[in-house]
Amino acid sequence: TQAARQDNIDAFTRADEAFHTGIAAAAGNTFFASTVDAVRRLQRQVMAIGLAGVAGGSLHVAAGQHEAIAEAIAAGETTRAQALMAEHIDLTARQFQQEIWRRVTPDDIHS
């Protein structure tokens, strides 16, 4: 949240990785852990091609989602935490896809 408030993409990315990796480790869910790893690779690629701060949406939105997920976990509200995490992952994936397609030109498709 602090990194988001400061619009610090690098700090946010590190905190985001730690947040998701920590939840995956605590959940003991290998599928979720592999998904987190795949998304981390995608985020690194996004940073490399210059979509950071654009794809993935607002840092503030993501930070708010992270806070809600953490609160649900802390309260022992498993079903709510799962639903919030699914919503967070879906929104992030849609935002990445929209930004990538927005940047694709007809020449890219025919290459």
Side-chain angles (χ1 to χ4, degrees), residues 28-76:
N29 181 324
T30 56
F31 176 75
F32 183 63
S34 340
T35 301
V36 167
D37 188 51
V39 170
R40 283 194 339 233
R41 284 192 310 271
L42 175 62
Q43 284 178 320
R44 286 185 203 111
Q45 291 170 345
V46 163
M47 296 288 283
I49 63 173
L51 294 179
V54 177
S58 165
L59 298 183
H60 303 282
V61 171
Q65 289 176 321
H66 287 175
E67 287 179 4
I69 293 163
E71 288 170 6
I73 291 169

Side-chain angles (χ1 to χ4, degrees), residues 76-97:
E77 298 173 352
T78 306
T79 303
R80 182 169 174 258
Q82 289 171 335
L84 289 169
M85 182 59 81
E87 180 181 315
H88 173 58
I89 291 168
D90 287 346
L91 176 61
T92 301
R94 283 193 313 271
Q95 289 170 329
F96 277 126
Q97 288 171 340

